[in-house]
Amino acid sequence: MKISIIGAGYVGLVTGACFSELGNTVICVDNDLKKIRKLKKNIIPIYEPGLEELIRKNVKKKRLYFSSSIKEAVDKTEVIFIAVGTPSLGNGEPDLTGIENVASQIAKNLKNYRLIVEKSTVPVETGEWVKRTIKINNKYNVDFDVASNPEFLREGSAIYDFMHPDRIVIGVESERAKNILLKLYQPIKAPILITDIKSAELIKHASNSFLATKISFINAIAQICEKTGADIVKVAEGIGLDRRIGKDFLKAGAGYGGACLPKDLDAFISIAEKAGYNFELLKVVKKINEEQKKSIIKKISDSLWILKGKTIGILGLTFKPNTDDIRNSISLEIITELKKEGVYIKTYDPKAGFKVKKIFKDIKLCFEPYAVAKNSDCLLIMTEWEEFKNLNFSKIKKIMKQPLIIDGRNMFEPEKLKSLGFRYIGVGR
Ligand code: NAD
């Protein structure tokens, strides 16, 4: 099939690359001209494992193209996915101007039947607005369909997730739209759930809110573990072995961050509010997450007494491993707080160091973990990058100013580090 993806970001590029890998001809469109120029020169603007190879392969096979023209996408392709960003406006509501903008540009160029698919995470009823926007802006009164096909991939394993999803959700209101999407997804082996458009839209916000709830739940249990001497890792294992609960997303830590969970939770609270429902549960989920971040700062100040003038080394800046995405990363929030206290900060991250250095000009950017540890009063672990797993802690102990490790992701075994002479503080253990 001939398809286009509008918005060549973390979701759009992966979706485009994967659909082309499945044998379709794909045009990825973005209004960021620099990004398109880079992509045309084979420079991939984001880090996602396997993406560079997949894009290069499919460009070479002439199945994957890049463009800054929505007109080209509408003229040449039968299915148009909208995968632009829907960031938070700051008041909890998502900014949907990108969606409206793309819908009206599609409408202005629409001359034959096209299926327009929402891939971005959008509030329930956005499909109605997209339809209305296209009708108002289309001069030719062309027949078209709108569908919702929310994306559940995770950054860091996005290609695998796209190709092996737990489920594919397709929200449609015509047989024609349903059959096009079923044909497109036919090579992917996964349960397909066909719904109306509003239900599909709601599934995405409800799923992310549930995941955030699981994280805040286990973080709340971690607080009780800290106060009672129980071990959250064992407790989570014991809870997660119950198949009705499941072990995923029961890892206590510094809280959830990233481009999706915080904004989608906020959006869902505001969607519910507009619909006349006060979603108190989610408000508490958010509050627990805020407290969890603060508890990391408290662990640092409780362990170091006076923060002013101390050196803290931070390992990991991204919100999770295997990505260069720093949107809503808790590491960055912690850096902001520590800077206010007059702390000197050294950091290392395998993929995001330069991005963070652009934001915080006065932190020291290191190029390997031991340089971070050297002369630090505290080593703070914020992202579970694989390369941190095999650190030589005997060496780290020798080069730190004081042997203090605060493990915001419970990456390491407390007993092992304590036996090496560290003061080790994890989360909930
Ligand atoms: P992103 O910021 O990485 O990418 C969005 C892209 O859209 C950018 O390249 C931007 O330049 C482009 N864009 C914005 N307005 C445009 C316009 N008017 N015309 C053309 N291009 C435009 O965002 P993302 O992380 O890929 O997320 C996209 C959507 O997918 C969001 O709604 C997000 O919530 C959802 N989502 C994200 C993930 C994830 O893990 N990142 C997972 C599932 C769903």
Side-chain angles (χ1 to χ4, degrees), residues 51-336:
L51 186 62
E52 190 167 335
E53 296 81 344
L54 203 65
I55 289 181
R56 290 204 172 143
K57 175 181 164 194
N58 285 287
V59 166
K60 215 169 168 189
K61 293 208 164 181
K62 299 199 180 308
R63 292 195 294 235
L64 182 57
Y65 298 87
F66 303 101
S67 168
S68 54
S69 161
I70 289 187
K71 179 180 187 315
E72 185 184 356
V74 179
D75 285 349
K76 292 188 181 164
T77 65
E78 45 200 309
V79 188
I80 304 159
F81 283 85
I82 305 180
V84 300
T86 49
S88 181
L89 275 172
N91 61 356
E93 288 182 34
D95 183 353
L96 300 175
T97 48
I99 302 277
E100 187 193 37
N101 181 295
V102 171
S104 62
Q105 287 192 65
I106 291 173
K108 283 175 189 145
N109 294 291
L110 196 66
K111 297 198 180 91
N112 294 299
Y113 173 87
R114 297 290 181 251
L115 170 60
I116 296 111
V117 189
E118 298 169 346
K119 188 66 140 163
S120 301
T121 302
V122 291
V124 57
E125 294 182 335
T126 301
E128 291 295 318
W129 284 107
V130 169
K131 259 193 289 176
R132 222 169 286 171
T133 307
I134 295 177
K135 273 191 189 140
I136 294 168
N137 289 287
N138 181 245
K139 281 189 283 200
Y140 311 104
N141 205 16
V142 174
D143 186 23
F144 69 92
D145 271 310
V146 169
S148 165
N149 170 223
E151 184 49 59
F152 301 97
L153 62 77
R154 296 161 300 174
E155 287 173 23
S157 54
I159 292 169
Y160 180 87
D161 291 348
F162 191 92
M163 295 295 203
H164 307 88
D166 289 343
R167 78 304 207 184
I168 294 163
V169 174
I170 290 176
V172 280
E173 49 188 25
S174 83
E175 277 297 303
R176 188 174 186 178
K178 178 177 113 181
N179 291 333
I180 293 173
L181 287 172
L182 284 178
K183 189 173 157 204
L184 189 59
Y185 276 110
Q186 196 258 333
I188 296 181
K189 300 282 162 272
I192 297 189
L193 181 70
I194 310 278
T195 71
D196 58 283
I197 296 177
K198 288 182 192 172
S199 302
E201 291 168 335
L202 204 82
I203 284 168
K204 177 65 192 177
H205 272 120
S207 298
N208 272 5
S209 300
F210 190 79
L211 293 173
T213 305
K214 268 189 115 175
I215 296 176
S216 280
F217 180 83
I218 204 67
N219 280 335
I221 305 289
Q223 291 290 336
I224 302 172
C225 287
E226 281 181 15
K227 293 181 194 332
T228 57
D231 180 351
I232 191 63
V233 174
K234 288 288 166 210
V235 174
E237 199 181 338
I239 301 171
L241 281 170
D242 186 328
R243 269 174 296 167
R244 294 169 302 176
I245 298 172
K247 64 179 174 18
D248 293 335
F249 270 70
L250 281 185
K251 245 184 134 241
Y256 59 80
C260 292
L261 290 192
K263 87 162 165 67
D264 291 348
L265 191 84
D266 278 349
F268 207 32
I269 292 170
S270 122
I271 291 163
E273 204 117 1
K274 278 192 179 164
Y277 179 70
N278 178 10
F279 215 146
E280 291 215 61
L281 171 68
L282 296 188
K283 291 180 185 171
V284 177
V285 167
K286 181 177 164 148
K287 187 164 167 263
I288 292 172
N289 201 51
E290 294 305 317
E291 284 164 2
Q292 200 66 12
K293 295 182 222 171
K294 283 188 198 138
S295 78
I296 296 289
I297 304 278
K298 186 165 184 309
K299 283 178 203 286
I300 300 172
S301 61
D302 285 354
S303 321
L304 288 179
W305 189 33
I306 309 293
L307 287 179
K308 195 171 164 43
K310 296 272 163 56
T311 299
I312 295 183
I314 301 181
L315 291 183
L317 298 166
T318 51
F319 80 101
K320 63 185 297 195
N322 295 325
T323 180
D324 61 348
D325 197 349
I326 53 166
R327 290 178 286 182
N328 284 314
S329 166
I330 293 170
S331 254
L332 271 59
E333 291 186 41
I334 287 182
I335 290 175
T336 306

Side-chain angles (χ1 to χ4, degrees), residues 364-391:
K364 181 169 168 57
L365 182 61
C366 301
F367 298 97
E368 46 95 8
Y370 300 99
V372 172
K374 194 163 184 210
N375 294 328
S376 285
D377 293 287
C378 166
L379 194 60
L380 174 63
I381 319 290
M382 287 303 295
T383 318
E384 313 108 287
W385 282 97
E386 191 66 28
E387 73 167 85
F388 300 159
K389 284 194 180 144
N390 298 315
L391 287 174

